[in-house]
Amino acid sequence: MILVFGGTTEGRKAVEVLEEAGNAYYYSTKTGEQDITLHHGQRIDGALDAEAMQTFCCEYGIRLIVDAAHPFASQLHETITQVSEALNVPVIRYERIYPPRDPDITWIDDYSQVPRDIHSLLAATGVQSISKLKYLEAEGIKVAYRILNRESSIALAHQQGATDDQLCFYPQTIEAEAILMKESGESGGFSEKVAEAKEKGMRIIALKRPEITQRNRPYCVNGPHGLRRAVEKLLPEFFPLHSGLTTGTCATAAAVAETLRLLKGETPAEVPVILPNGETISVSVGYSDDYAYCIKEAGDDPDVTNGLEIRAKVDPAEDFEILGGEGVGRFTLPGFDYPPGEAAINKAPREMMHHNIKENVRITISVPDGAEIARRTFNPRLGIEGGISIIGVSGIVKPFSEEAFIDSIRKCMTVAKASGAERVVINSGGKSERFVKALYPDLPQQAFVEYGNYIGVTLKIAHELDIRNVTLGVMLGKAVKLAAGHLDTHSRKTVMDKAFIQQLLMESGISIDISDMTLARELWERIPANQLDTFAHRIIQHCAEHCNPILPNGQLTILLIDDNGKIYEV
């Protein structure tokens, strides 16, 4: 069993990760005021001292603790460490991502170091800090306190001696010479708060975050992918299926390792890799005479590239350059991130390598068995020849069993209906959800449900739950499959049908050559702008023909979304 200490953005993200497993866990907050939905987790609220925490862990069989509490909750972190050591229960510390410390900010170690050469101060360090700053008022400094607008916070502020005219409520800002804030990291809005204060001409004073000692950071992560991988390592049975690494992450790890050896003479067994979402994970690497390598780890996702050795050779250069060597395919058709002739290393992995390696070097990626393995992939059909592709948008491969994913959809749809929302919006993932959310700003978060590839199943669940108003957001790659009648759009079940797309174009009165087209999204560029509406409407009509019968008692709205977020609707 897992016990999570949350109440923060990191706690919310930890819940999202653990919910994917479908197994029970506990989620603890001090005040119980965080609005969070748990499907498999059980909530416990109230502060726990060391004795109470140890008793709870023993009574409920806690085998892993996730410490996702606020970085300034020093006493709680220390208590968790004490209990971990006493019971020999491992702890994963879910830390925040912090920007580099700005030299224009006055950094202090504790509240007693606030500079005295100011006349007015806005303290944005939380209600608990009011008593620690009252001494400034005695020294003639006018202090206002920015707190959360909730009854418990206001009552606590009054208990510490703050008056109503001293209080303002987040995100309100009042005029003051200086602002005091905590180094709360990106998820705490630190960069945004600094930018706002600079725009107002305020002097910025920041309280440094407490340092994490080696004693309480045996496993430290700063993002959801790292958390899942740490749980998989420490409690393998919690997730039915384990995650893996994309070829892009493996190539990046090998390149980071070889760059370290070239420039610093270092050969660590693991290297840090910054993923596209900004978090950092550790990846195992190895070394040979003139290259470093990383073994492709697919986890439980069926992938023919599993176990491949992905190598990186790094040489000094005048500019940063990425080349493809043995076993890395080449683009032979247009429509990809790079033109024909270029190595099949997609944009996201290239950006990962550049982001992780700041020096000017020439990186050559090779995969010795890549050419043979590529024959068992879709690469030849897509116009990628000579080897595998180096791909990966998130950097992590997250496997889902069909049964578990559909069960997750059903739970989310049930919560959506229970929320009382007038409409449920189903979408393929984060990108499409971001676009359609703008159309429904008044809907609660629970009303947005991800269907992945299971469009037909999700609509069937909507019918079973008697959800009457459904919006389906879909992007072109899935839309052309759905329009052809494929209610499960996974690439293992169906691929793009050029003959059907040609039929759609003819029905729309559009005459263009798509014989060399490799990806459906190319249509947005190939179709004349004045004919896009006609084509989009035709696709939506075909999609509706297959979807409407699944939702016979409801009203279905289908939105086709292009790569830039433009939305088409019949």
Side-chain angles (χ1 to χ4, degrees):
M1 189 70 76
I2 296 176
L3 172 60
V4 181
F5 289 93
T8 57
T9 300
E10 287 67 40
R12 191 181 297 278
K13 291 178 180 177
V15 164
E16 292 175 359
V17 171
L18 299 184
E19 286 288 337
E20 294 171 355
N23 286 320
Y25 62 94
Y26 291 97
Y27 184 77
S28 172
T29 64
K30 181 178 180 180
T31 64
E33 293 179 305
Q34 185 181 31
D35 181 17
I36 191 166
T37 301
L38 307 179
H39 301 304
H40 303 288
Q42 182 173 334
R43 185 163 186 160
I44 58 173
D45 296 315
L48 296 174
D49 59 19
E51 182 179 356
M53 190 183 300
Q54 186 165 331
T55 299
F56 183 91
C57 289
C58 292
E59 184 176 348
Y60 292 95
I62 301 302
R63 297 173 56 201
L64 176 63
I65 296 174
V66 176
D67 181 0
H70 195 282
F72 282 80
S74 300
Q75 183 57 59
L76 175 57
H77 299 313
E78 176 59 26
T79 301
I80 291 171
T81 300
Q82 291 176 14
V83 172
S84 167
E85 292 174 343
L87 300 180
N88 196 29
V89 173
V91 175
I92 301 170
R93 177 73 176 263
Y94 196 147
E95 260 294 276
R96 298 184 173 185
I97 297 172
Y98 297 93
R101 285 179 177 162
D102 185 342
D104 293 332
I105 294 175
T106 300
W107 295 92
I108 61 175
D109 294 305
D110 60 65
Y111 292 104
S112 66
Q113 296 177 353
V114 174
R116 307 302 201 276
D117 59 344
I118 56 176
H119 299 93
S120 59
L121 176 72
L122 172 61
T125 46
V127 69
Q128 298 282 0
S129 67
I130 292 176
S131 61
K132 301 173 184 177
L133 296 169
K134 295 298 287 184
Y135 76 93
L136 294 172
E137 297 178 41
E139 297 185 19
I141 298 174
K142 182 180 179 181
V143 184
Y145 303 99
R146 185 165 73 182
I147 65 174
L148 294 176
N149 189 6
R150 60 190 184 195
E151 290 184 8
S152 60
S153 296
I154 296 171
L156 186 55
H158 288 160
Q159 290 173 18
Q160 296 181 77
T163 59
D164 286 336
D165 60 357
Q166 285 184 293
L167 300 180
C168 69
F169 302 113
Y170 183 83
Q172 177 186 353
T173 297
I174 63 171
E175 292 296 326
E177 181 183 342
I179 183 171
L180 173 65
M181 60 181 72
K182 290 178 176 177
E183 187 183 13
S184 55
E186 297 293 9
S187 66
F190 184 76
S191 296
E192 291 81 0
K193 294 172 185 174
V194 167
E196 179 187 11
K198 285 185 175 181
E199 186 176 340
K200 293 180 179 296
M202 303 172 77
R203 179 179 176 182
I204 303 171
I205 306 164
L207 184 68
K208 296 177 184 175
R209 68 186 186 272
E211 294 294 332
I212 303 177
T213 65
Q214 190 60 41
R215 177 169 168 262
N216 61 10
R217 61 170 299 166
Y219 296 95
C220 197
V221 302
N222 64 354
H225 298 311
L227 175 61
R228 174 164 179 155
R229 289 176 63 78
V231 173
E232 290 170 351
K233 178 178 181 179
L234 296 171
L235 200 63
E237 66 272 24
F238 186 77
F239 285 98
L241 299 174
H242 287 189
S243 62
L245 303 176
T246 64
T247 50
T249 297
C250 294
T252 300
V256 168
E258 186 61 9
T259 301
L260 280 173
R261 179 165 68 168
L262 174 69
L263 300 181
K264 297 183 178 181
E266 299 175 3
T267 55
E270 291 187 341
V271 295
V273 172
I274 303 172
L275 298 177
N277 70 349
E279 72 172 286
T280 302
I281 63 170
S282 292
V283 181
S284 298
V285 292
Y287 304 87
S288 188
D289 291 341
D290 61 348
Y291 62 85
Y293 63 87
C294 178
I295 303 300
K296 173 66 165 70
E297 172 193 338
D300 287 317
D301 189 62
D303 189 337
V304 295
T305 65
N306 186 47
L308 281 181
E309 183 178 282
I310 299 179
R311 301 175 178 176
K313 186 177 185 300
V314 178
D315 298 296
E318 294 184 3
D319 297 301
F320 186 84
E321 186 178 8
I322 299 173
L323 304 175
E326 176 191 4
V328 175
R330 300 237 163 226
F331 299 124
T332 64
L333 296 174
F336 293 97
D337 292 332
Y338 299 94
E342 282 285 328
I345 304 174
N346 286 359
K347 183 177 180 180
R350 288 176 188 259
E351 290 178 343
M352 275 183 67
M353 284 184 245
H354 206 174
H355 187 55
N356 279 271
I357 301 169
K358 303 300 184 184
E359 295 79 8
N360 285 334
V361 292
R362 180 185 303 107
I363 301 169
T364 304
I365 303 298
S366 60
V367 186
D369 297 322
E372 174 61 31
I373 292 295
R375 296 190 182 98
R376 294 152 56 189
T377 70
F378 282 125
N379 275 10
R381 187 183 305 182
L382 294 174
I384 300 172
E385 298 180 358
I388 67 166
S389 310
I390 304 299
I391 59 175
V393 175
S394 69
I396 296 290
V397 178
K398 285 172 49 176
F400 289 101
S401 70
E402 183 169 319
E403 180 181 359
F405 194 83
I406 291 173
D407 183 56
S408 176
I409 292 173
R410 185 177 299 279
K411 286 184 172 66
C412 290
M413 293 289 282
T414 302
V415 170
K417 180 177 175 62
S419 73
E422 62 182 17
R423 174 177 300 275
V424 173
V425 182
I426 63 174
N427 52 85
S428 59
K431 186 175 182 179
S432 62
E433 180 175 305
R434 189 168 65 250
F435 292 140
V436 296
K437 266 187 174 179
L439 294 181
Y440 303 103
D442 296 329
L443 288 180
Q445 174 62 42
Q446 293 89 343
F448 297 87
V449 176
E450 181 179 335
Y451 58 71
N453 289 294
Y454 302 105
I455 298 174
V457 168
T458 306
L459 290 174
K460 182 180 179 182
I461 292 171
H463 171 64
E464 292 171 354
L465 295 175
D466 195 30
I467 296 174
R468 296 301 181 95
N469 293 302
V470 178
T471 293
L472 164 64
V474 63
M475 301 189 79
L476 192 56
K478 295 184 188 299
V480 295
K481 296 178 181 180
L482 180 60
H486 301 288
L487 296 169
D488 180 346
T489 59
H490 199 290
S491 59
R492 296 194 193 98
K493 302 288 183 69
T494 180
V495 295
M496 181 181 67
D497 186 342
K498 284 188 182 180
F500 177 70
I501 293 175
Q502 192 68 64
Q503 175 190 325
L504 288 174
L505 291 168
M506 290 177 60
E507 292 175 7
S508 305
I510 300 170
S511 179
I512 59 172
D513 181 15
I514 61 168
S515 60
D516 63 343
M517 187 176 73
T518 54
L519 299 172
R521 68 170 187 245
E522 295 175 51
L523 290 165
W524 294 124
E525 301 296 332
R526 296 188 180 214
I527 296 174
N530 63 347
Q531 294 180 295
L532 283 174
D533 281 340
T534 303
F535 179 71
H537 292 170
R538 193 64 188 138
I539 287 183
I540 293 172
Q541 289 167 357
H542 274 276
C543 290
E545 290 172 4
H546 299 293
C547 293
N548 282 333
I550 308 175
L551 196 69
N553 301 323
Q555 180 66 42
L556 177 65
T557 300
I558 299 177
L559 305 177
L560 178 63
I561 310 164
D562 75 8
D563 291 342
N564 297 314
K566 181 176 179 180
I567 294 177
Y568 297 86
E569 178 183 0
V570 174

